[in-house]
């Protein structure tokens, strides 16, 4: 325990093994914030809450059995490679790799395996600086993914709770002797509303989108763009109801004020949740489950959907390599701001 110099009251911090609805979890606490990571299910950070105000920032599962069978739409699932690849093909380094089609409706390979498999808990702990857990997943010989994509790499995520909210630090380490494509996204599911007494009508979302990518009938980019609807321009500039229209849209990311982020504001409470993903993520996928009114996924994505298979400039697609022995790193943060006080 330490003293919070701003509030003058004790700040409790801890990190411990525990349980989340029957699944093994690592629980973090810092002041009014708490979070839970499920190492056995994709290293998913499944809960992030403000316990004093009753805020649940992430969509949490109501049915654990359904979640375990399809863990991609709750919490913060890591996706490698993210989104859809034409017929399962992935062209890279002058070779063509073939994943099995797992989305029959489109005939594509979708989202990879890492969000469904167990991760290793490397360390967890707590101090007055923050409560943290580090989880990692290594792909190499004998791994399910290596069978289709024979590269060795380790994806490591460190989550830290502090007075500054939830920090996510991601590293991708290329342990192969060949160049590894940095194909990564997070299918982050944010509650809107996040407060117990608020409704969807109280919510507005703003995202630093640029242009909307045109997608064909199989949800693959054509290489062209579509004009933004009026509500999309509002989402970029001032904010719009998260369920103004059904969204399953792909956008370029264009930082505003040096930051690349999604914001959900509860206009009833005057509280804004900021999801600042940093400028390494060059694209957004935004999905709201048919405008269902409960959650929305602003998904930060490094690469354009199906990027390795497209004949477009690599820089525009966010397609780049991690050289053998090198590391790619990115940091994101989720935190809440009281608009009246600015804290």
């Amino acid at each position: 325990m330490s003293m919070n110099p701003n509030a003058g009251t004790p700040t409790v911090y801890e990190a411990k093994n525990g349980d989340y609805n029957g699944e093994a979890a690592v629980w973090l606490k810092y002041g009014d914030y708490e979070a839970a990571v499920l190492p056995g299910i994709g290293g998913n950070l499944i809960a992030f809450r403000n316990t004093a105000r009753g805020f649940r920032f992430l969509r949490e599962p109501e049915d654990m059995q359904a979640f375990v069978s399809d863990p991609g739409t709750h919490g913060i699932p890591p996706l490698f490679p993210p989104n859809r690849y034409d017929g399962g093909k992935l062209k890279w380094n002058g070779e063509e790799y073939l994943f099995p089609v797992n989305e029959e409706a489109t005939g594509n390979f979708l989202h990879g395996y890492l969000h469904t498999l167990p991760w290793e808990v490397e360390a967890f702990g707590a101090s007055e600086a923050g409560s943290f857990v580090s989880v990692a997943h290594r792909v190499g010989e004998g791994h399910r993914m290596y069978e289709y994509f024979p590269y060795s790499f380790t994806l490591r995520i460190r989550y830290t709770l502090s007075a500054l909210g939830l920090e996510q630090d991601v590293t991708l380490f290329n342990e192969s002797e060949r160049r590894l494509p940095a194909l990564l996204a997070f299918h982050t599911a944010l509650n809107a509303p996040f407060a117990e007494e608020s409704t969807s009508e109280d919510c507005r979302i703003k995202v630093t989108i640029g242009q909307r990518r045109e997608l064909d009938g199989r949800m693959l980019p054509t290489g062209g763009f579509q004009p933004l609807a009026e509500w999309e321009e509002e989402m970029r500039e001032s904010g719009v109801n998260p369920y103004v229209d059904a969204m399953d849209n792909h956008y370029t990311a264009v930082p505003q004020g040096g930051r690349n982020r999604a914001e959900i504001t509860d206009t009833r409470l005057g509280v804004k949740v900021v999801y600042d993903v940093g400028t390494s993520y060059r694209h957004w996928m935004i999905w709201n489950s048919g405008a269902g009114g409960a959650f929305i996924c602003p998904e930060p994505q490094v690469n354009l959907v199906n990027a390795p298979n497209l004949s477009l400039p690599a820089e525009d697609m966010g397609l780049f390599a991690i050289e053998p022995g090198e590391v790619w790193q990115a940091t994101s943060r989720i935190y809440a701001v009281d608009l009246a006080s600015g804290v």
Side-chain angles (χ1 to χ4, degrees), residues 120-131:
E120 175 191 356
V121 177
E122 294 186 311
F124 61 86
S127 72
E128 60 186 63
S131 303

Side-chain angles (χ1 to χ4, degrees), residues 121-197:
V121 177
E122 294 186 311
F124 61 86
S127 72
E128 60 186 63
S131 303
F132 79 93
V133 58
S134 178
V135 293
H137 189 93
R138 184 178 187 277
V139 174
E141 290 188 35
H143 191 281
R144 182 178 181 184
M145 184 172 177
Y146 193 89
E147 176 183 352
Y148 308 106
F149 189 65
Y151 290 78
S152 296
F153 61 92
T154 297
L155 182 60
R156 179 174 287 105
I157 305 175
R158 178 182 170 115
Y159 285 107
T160 303
L161 271 189
S162 72
L164 302 180
L166 174 71
E167 179 181 281
Q168 179 201 63
D169 185 68
V170 181
T171 57
L172 183 56
F173 174 36
N174 181 7
E175 298 169 276
S176 299
E177 296 179 356
R178 295 171 294 167
R179 304 165 76 237
L180 175 74
L183 306 173
L184 184 67
F186 290 91
H187 206 288
T188 306
L190 298 179
N191 280 330
F194 53 83
E196 293 176 330
E197 303 301 324

Side-chain angles (χ1 to χ4, degrees), residues 2 38 48 51 64 68 123 160 173 186 196 206 239 245 252-253 267 274 282 286 296:
S2 71
L38 301 179
F48 175 39
T51 55
M64 285 301 290
V68 171
T160 303
F173 174 36
F186 290 91
E196 293 176 330
K206 179 181 178 183
D245 199 358
T252 61
T267 59
V274 178
R282 302 289 301 279
I286 302 182
I296 186 167

Side-chain angles (χ1 to χ4, degrees), residues 321-338:
I322 304 171
E323 298 296 332
E326 292 194 349
V327 175
W328 173 86
Q329 183 175 17
T331 301
S332 303
R333 186 180 300 277
I334 304 176
Y335 60 98
V337 178
D338 189 316

Side-chain angles (χ1 to χ4, degrees), residues 158-309:
R158 178 182 170 115
Y159 285 107
T160 303
L161 271 189
S162 72
L164 302 180
L166 174 71
E167 179 181 281
Q168 179 201 63
D169 185 68
V170 181
T171 57
L172 183 56
F173 174 36
N174 181 7
E175 298 169 276
S176 299
E177 296 179 356
R178 295 171 294 167
R179 304 165 76 237
L180 175 74
L183 306 173
L184 184 67
F186 290 91
H187 206 288
T188 306
L190 298 179
N191 280 330
F194 53 83
E196 293 176 330
E197 303 301 324
S198 296
T199 71
S200 60
E201 292 301 314
D202 297 315
C203 298
R204 297 291 180 270
I205 186 169
K206 179 181 178 183
V207 190
T208 53
I209 61 171
Q211 294 178 287
R212 179 174 173 175
R213 294 278 188 179
E214 182 181 54
L215 303 178
D216 65 18
R218 296 174 57 220
M219 297 298 291
L220 299 172
T222 65
F225 295 97
Q226 293 177 305
L228 296 181
E230 182 176 348
W231 64 263
E232 289 172 303
E233 294 179 352
E234 291 179 19
M235 183 169 65
R236 180 185 62 195
E237 301 300 332
S238 59
V240 72
N241 185 284
Y243 313 108
V244 64
D245 199 358
M247 302 184 207
D248 196 357
N249 305 333
H250 199 17
Y251 302 94
T252 61
V254 179
Q256 298 177 13
R259 287 175 291 178
N260 188 31
R261 60 188 187 170
E263 303 172 354
I264 296 178
T265 299
D266 184 319
T267 59
R268 182 183 71 87
L269 294 177
V271 174
K272 176 173 66 176
V273 174
V274 178
Y275 181 29
D276 191 334
V277 303
T279 56
S280 292
Y281 297 94
R282 302 289 301 279
H283 297 84
W284 292 99
M285 282 294 300
I286 302 182
W287 178 65
N288 65 3
S289 188
F295 73 98
I296 186 167
C297 297
E299 307 164 31
Q301 190 160 308
V302 172
N303 58 289
L304 173 67
V305 170
N306 200 36
N309 302 321

